[in-house]
Amino acid sequence: MQTDLKRLAEALIHKAQRAGADQADALAMRGQSVSIDVRGGALEQAERAEGVEIGLRVLIGGRQACVSSSDHSDDAIARMAERAVAMAKEAPVDDYLGLADPDQLTARRDAAGLDLCDHTSEPSPAELQDMALRAEAAALQAKGISQVEAASAAFSRRGLWLAATNGFSGGYGRSTHAISAVAITGEGLGMERDYAAESRVFAADLPPAEDIGALAAERTLARAGSRKPPTGAFPILYDRRVASSLIAHLLGAVNGGAVARGASWLRKAMDEQVLPVGMDLTEDPLRPRYPSSRPFDAEGLATRQRGIIRDGVLREWTLDLATGRKLGLDSTGSAARGLTSAPSPTNSNIRLTPGTATQAELIAGMGRGLVVTSMLGASINGTTGDYSRGAAGFWVENGQIAYPVNECTIAGNLREMLMTLTAANDALPWRAHEVPSLLVQGMTVAGA
């Protein structure tokens, strides 16, 4: 499989040069996936997809264009290259664009040692259906669950190859196994639902399907009888299911793309305190068996462990080559790209320093406030950090969960919110963002 992808990617850049490109890089991807949904003890839906797609980026005098195709015949590749070159000639000039210099490229050209792909036999549709049925049955065993909206099991495996005219040529494979369930309690206006889901690179690392179904039921039953919370200023505890969203906003603000545009609420905060003392935010794209690990970035640069925030102080932006050049800095090896898009900065395997207290201990210390377990909608001002989101969860009185809540809005300013964080010790492994429950002081809750 990888040999074919290598041939396609290298053929693309060769044709691009012949068509008149100064520089070019290409991505060839092969993917296969199968998913099974069950409902009411029977098969609801089965899907299978398989194919090869190719993408080409060409650069001519500071201009660039990206094209893609699912046709990878020799004639199609030649036409792609000609079309991309013609498009690039009409694009605006950006003097910061360009491939890496050869001496910037990593010597690593595969994912050896990272265990990113499960090479055991692909699970059969029958095996996936059995897992989904077991998850559904476990959820329905819980008293009070009226139905399981969906229970699913899925598998995917894909390979990619990146080649460029600067001499880079490398690729690797990746696999994903997943189980999920959505349970429902109540009827009509009193209906509540919640879910549980897990995914892993290796099937052997997945929890039992029964555990997924049981957890979906437990979470759903806890939401029965939800009502609006009071309005006012209260502490808010972000459950570990949603706490990573706060860190995602922080990562967006230290992304070189936003910083270079002047559209980040942290654009002037380098070397300033942005998290409480003692908190580190680290990135490690080289964690074996983790979902977003990668041996090199989309520009052929080495990925590495980074301390984005150390002891609460912002130390690094997240940069690709172009944003690094705009800011007068080196790339952090953080470029990602799709078949139809140019590279842009992104993160892999983020970890926030955990605290020492349990979630229950943080709730006990809240007095009166809100535990958020799910969110919907968002109004985030990327320049000022003003924050407003719809939320649901549980109301806390006297340090104990009193009742479930829904249909409320929480608001604050991210810069101020993050400086008040207290972390629990309950972060879960195997996540792209390994973040524990986070307590934030003094946010506004708009409810009843």
Side-chain angles (χ1 to χ4, degrees):
M1 179 176 75
Q2 294 299 85
T3 300
D4 290 342
L5 296 180
K6 178 178 186 289
R7 178 185 60 80
L8 288 172
E10 293 180 351
L12 280 164
I13 61 173
H14 176 67
K15 293 292 188 183
Q17 286 181 304
R18 290 189 61 180
D22 296 338
Q23 298 178 316
D25 57 17
L27 191 62
M29 299 179 66
R30 181 190 299 274
Q32 61 184 97
S33 64
V34 58
S35 64
I36 300 292
D37 296 347
V38 301
R39 188 172 183 178
L43 177 66
E44 174 82 1
Q45 181 172 290
E47 291 187 357
R48 182 179 180 87
E50 186 168 355
V52 175
E53 295 185 288
I54 52 178
L56 173 67
R57 178 175 68 130
V58 302
L59 298 104
I60 304 174
R63 306 172 190 268
Q64 74 175 358
C66 299
V67 295
S68 68
S69 176
S70 57
D71 184 349
H72 41 87
S73 65
D74 290 342
D75 288 344
I77 288 174
R79 291 194 300 271
M80 276 182 68
E82 292 168 359
R83 184 168 74 251
V85 168
M87 291 169 58
K89 289 178 179 178
E90 302 300 321
V93 174
D94 183 343
D95 292 330
Y96 297 106
L97 297 176
L99 302 185
D101 295 331
D103 60 1
Q104 293 178 288
L105 300 173
T106 178
R108 188 172 192 175
R109 304 298 166 94
D110 59 33
L114 291 184
D115 286 341
L116 299 185
C117 193
D118 188 346
H119 294 291
T120 58
S121 299
E122 174 186 334
S124 68
E127 290 172 317
L128 292 174
Q129 183 171 338
D130 176 66
M131 286 191 288
L133 288 170
R134 285 158 46 205
E136 181 187 50
L140 289 171
Q141 283 182 355
K143 185 179 180 181
I145 295 298
S146 55
Q147 61 179 298
V148 173
E149 181 176 335
S152 306
F155 167 79
S156 67
R157 181 184 286 138
R158 67 185 179 95
L160 66 84
W161 199 277
L162 175 69
T165 54
N166 57 8
F168 185 84
S169 186
Y172 55 94
R174 188 186 299 280
S175 62
T176 304
H177 299 261
I179 307 173
S180 64
V182 181
I184 295 174
T185 187
E187 297 179 353
L189 296 177
M191 183 182 293
E192 294 288 343
R193 60 166 52 80
D194 212 324
Y195 74 96
E198 293 287 346
S199 65
R200 303 284 190 273
V201 171
F202 284 79
D205 295 331
L206 270 176
E210 291 82 359
D211 291 357
I212 305 299
L215 181 57
E218 178 185 331
R219 288 172 169 173
T220 298
L221 292 171
R223 300 221 37 77
S226 293
R227 59 186 191 264
K228 291 185 178 182
T231 293
F234 305 100
I236 292 180
L237 179 72
Y238 285 75
D239 181 80
R240 64 188 179 189
R241 297 170 66 189
V242 295
S244 60
S245 68
L246 277 181
I247 302 307
H249 294 311
L250 173 57
L251 291 170
V254 302
N255 186 286
V259 176
R261 294 192 307 271
S264 165
W265 46 276
L266 289 177
R267 62 192 177 278
K268 297 181 181 179
M270 183 57 69
D271 297 323
E272 293 184 5
Q273 200 84 30
V274 296
L275 289 176
V277 172
M279 274 195 180
D280 295 338
L281 186 65
T282 59
E283 176 180 35
D284 186 1
L286 302 174
R287 298 184 76 175
R289 302 170 83 99
Y290 264 64
S292 60
S293 293
R294 50 186 184 152
F296 49 79
D297 79 346
E299 295 176 310
L301 304 187
T303 55
R304 60 180 174 84
Q305 187 179 71
R306 300 194 299 128
I308 300 171
I309 296 171
R310 296 192 289 273
D311 200 22
V313 177
L314 177 60
R315 295 301 188 190
E316 291 192 35
W317 306 124
T318 298
L319 306 170
D320 62 359
L321 284 169
T323 56
R325 290 167 184 149
K326 290 176 183 178
L327 297 172
L329 299 167
D330 293 331
S331 170
T332 56
S334 303
R337 62 165 292 186
L339 290 165
T340 60
S341 61
S344 60
T346 192
N347 296 104
S348 305
N349 298 335
I350 292 295
R351 183 177 184 272
L352 182 71
T353 303
T356 58
T358 65
Q359 186 192 83
E361 289 170 338
L362 291 184
I363 290 173
M366 287 174 65
R368 192 174 192 229
L370 178 66
V371 176
V372 175
T373 58
S374 65
M375 291 186 289
L376 67 158
S379 175
I380 312 296
N381 188 314
T383 303
T384 65
D386 289 337
Y387 171 100
S388 178
R389 295 202 66 176
F394 299 91
W395 188 249
V396 174
E397 288 283 357
N398 299 316
Q400 294 185 337
I401 289 178
Y403 54 83
V405 300
N406 58 14
E407 298 182 9
C408 67
T409 300
I410 56 177
N413 180 273
L414 285 164
R415 186 74 192 268
E416 298 169 359
M417 290 160 56
L418 293 172
M419 285 299 297
T420 72
L421 291 185
T422 302
N425 63 358
D426 60 351
L428 292 172
W430 306 111
R431 271 59 179 173
H433 288 182
E434 195 170 303
V435 178
S437 299
L438 296 172
L439 177 62
V440 181
Q441 298 293 337
M443 290 182 65
T444 298
V445 177

